[in-house]
């Protein structure tokens, strides 16, 4: 083959490869848009379409193989069992393209703000952050009682335990505080709307509230 033929062959291959890359990118973009639209329709509490990013190359090979390497879904907010969540970030690995859609592994993180937790827990008083705990206060007779709370991951619910009562500069036995009664007994927030297979694994108190983390395997993604 002469020099001119070699150059021609290289040009043709370049066009073909470039076209395949463009087609792969277009297919990825369209699939991300479709997934975002479907998630908005299928997941309760999503007010806007989430951002969807499909990882791994090439995309079309994954699609033909019936499994996407990774999918990341982010949303500014969502509502779970009446609890508003913010900065929602979901990572999925090994996502099937058939129905029901499943992910071999999934992780999620989101922020529950103190004001929203206070409302959902129906405490009747505001929550604030103090170090690794949440604190709410009540006036009992002439004294202010601080109730120190520790949120914990409990499978498919958020458990909130009382770790201390403070009043007049010291710790107080709950039985010695009239009017509190069983107000703080078995405080929980159910999260049954999490996809099947996904459970809470860690709760961390941060400046704005509580950072929620969940993970699971063979997670079934919601369908209508």
């Amino acid at each position: 083959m002469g020099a001119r033929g070699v150059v021609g062959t290289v040009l043709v291959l370049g066009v073909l490869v470039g076209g395949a890359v463009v087609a792969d990118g277009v297919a990825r973009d369209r699939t991300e848009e479709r997934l975002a639209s479907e998630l908005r329709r299928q997941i309760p509490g999503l007010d806007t379409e989430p951002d969807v990013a499909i990882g791994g190359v090439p995309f079309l090979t994954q699609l033909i193989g019936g499994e996407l390497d990774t999918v990341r879904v982010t949303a500014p907010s969502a509502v779970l069992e009446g609890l508003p969540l913010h900065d929602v970030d979901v990572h999925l690995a090994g996502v099937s393209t058939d129905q029901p859609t499943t992910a071999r592994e999934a992780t999620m993180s989101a922020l529950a703000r103190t004001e929203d937790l206070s409302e959902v827990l129906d405490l009747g008083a505001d929550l604030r952050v103090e170090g690794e705990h949440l604190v709410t206060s009540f006036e009992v007779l002439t004294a202010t009682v601080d109730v120190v709370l520790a949120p914990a991951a409990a499978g498919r619910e958020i458990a909130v335990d009382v770790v201390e009562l403070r009043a007049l500069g010291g710790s107080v036995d709950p039985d010695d505080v009239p009017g509190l009664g069983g107000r703080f007994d078995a405080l929980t927030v159910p999260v049954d709307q999490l996809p099947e297979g996904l459970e809470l694994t860690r709760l961390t108190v941060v400046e704005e509230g509580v950072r929620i983390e969940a993970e699971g395997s063979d997670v079934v993604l919601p369908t209508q």
Side-chain angles (χ1 to χ4, degrees), residues 47-145:
D47 295 330
T48 59
E49 285 189 5
D51 290 328
V52 176
I54 299 172
V57 290
F59 168 71
L60 288 173
T61 301
Q62 299 178 61
L63 199 61
I64 294 170
E67 184 177 280
L68 305 179
D69 290 347
T70 63
V71 177
R72 183 181 182 187
V73 181
T74 58
S77 63
V79 179
L80 191 67
E81 301 285 349
L83 176 64
L85 298 178
H86 304 272
D87 303 328
V88 181
D89 192 350
V90 179
H91 290 254
L92 307 172
V95 181
S96 67
T97 58
D98 54 1
Q99 296 292 332
T101 304
T102 60
R104 282 188 287 103
E105 294 186 6
T107 62
M108 182 198 82
S109 68
L111 173 69
R113 293 175 178 166
T114 51
E115 58 268 28
D116 297 321
L117 282 168
S118 179
E119 184 173 347
V120 171
L121 289 169
D122 194 23
L123 295 177
D126 292 336
L127 282 169
R128 64 183 184 276
V129 172
E130 288 189 11
E132 298 179 351
H133 296 107
L134 301 174
V135 180
T136 187
S137 299
F138 293 88
E139 296 296 324
V140 179
L141 299 179
T142 59
T144 299
V145 178

Side-chain angles (χ1 to χ4, degrees), residues 176-209:
D176 295 335
V177 183
L180 287 185
R183 180 178 297 183
F184 300 101
D185 292 341
L187 288 176
T188 60
V189 178
V191 288
D192 288 330
Q193 285 182 335
L194 283 174
E196 181 184 344
L198 197 65
E199 293 190 348
L200 300 182
T201 54
R202 184 180 181 186
L203 270 61
T204 306
V205 176
V206 296
E207 183 178 356
E208 303 92 341

